[in-house]
Amino acid sequence: MTTTCLVVMGVSGAGKTTIARMLADRLGWRMAEADEFHPPANIAKMTAGTPLTDADRAPWLRAIRDWVSERDAEGENVVVTCSALKRAYRDLLRQATARVRFVYLRGTTEIVGSRLADRSGHFMPPSLLGSQFGDLEPLAPDEDGVTVDIGDTPEHITDTALVALGLRNGASAGA
């Protein structure tokens, strides 16, 4: 049976890590941070305030896809944080052997900008937020996933996503 990977996507500061942790905890699934898959050169570029190109992102996205497929081979459902800003990036992630579904955390530049201003210890500077919104292609109706507004509490966002995806606490991937 094919497993499921939930990709919690959106711009930096949308709350991907918080929501992914909550989804993983509620479902009892393993969680991974996409940032951990970036090669050092990508982190250096972002730290310097230089937006990544599609060519920069390709090996990173392939590494995430391959990790998801490895977990699928082990029969493990997972939750992954990944900006997945463009349809082409999501198409690459969907090449994994697991069923890849998306939770798009949608927010305004004002909300996300204020969150980034309050965040410390992350290599992604707030100055790159404009380039992220510029690259963002929201989920299309034919993509397997849900869109959730980030203006609510993390608990409500998580509840909304689980209901929209047809998943319940401890539910199987095929629920």
Side-chain angles (χ1 to χ4, degrees), residues 22-38:
M22 292 180 80
L23 287 167
D25 286 348
R26 295 218 192 148
L27 293 166
W29 295 3
R30 183 174 179 177
M31 183 196 141
E33 285 275 357
D35 287 346
E36 296 170 9
F37 294 85
H38 271 299

Side-chain angles (χ1 to χ4, degrees), residues 73-165:
E74 296 170 358
E76 190 173 11
N77 297 306
V78 295
V79 179
V80 178
T81 64
C82 180
S83 53
L85 298 175
K86 294 183 180 181
R87 170 82 184 235
Y89 305 164
R90 297 188 296 273
D91 288 346
L92 197 154
L93 293 172
R94 273 193 287 274
Q95 292 172 6
T97 55
R99 178 183 182 189
V100 178
R101 305 181 77 190
F102 296 91
V103 177
Y104 166 41
L105 301 179
R106 178 183 59 205
T108 65
T109 55
E110 294 78 21
I111 290 174
V112 176
S114 70
R115 289 181 178 183
L116 283 178
D118 293 339
R119 183 165 79 173
S120 63
H122 194 276
F123 59 80
M124 175 77 174
S127 61
L128 291 180
L129 184 59
S131 71
Q132 289 220 325
F133 271 106
D135 283 347
L136 179 62
E137 298 170 3
L139 283 179
D142 66 327
E143 292 186 271
D144 188 357
V146 297
T147 299
V148 184
D149 190 276
I150 64 168
D152 215 323
T153 65
E155 292 79 12
H156 187 262
I157 292 167
T158 303
D159 290 341
T160 300
L162 287 169
V163 167
L165 291 165

Side-chain angles (χ1 to χ4, degrees), residues 12-24:
S12 185
K16 294 183 295 292
T17 299
T18 299
I19 300 306
R21 277 194 188 124
M22 292 180 80
L23 287 167

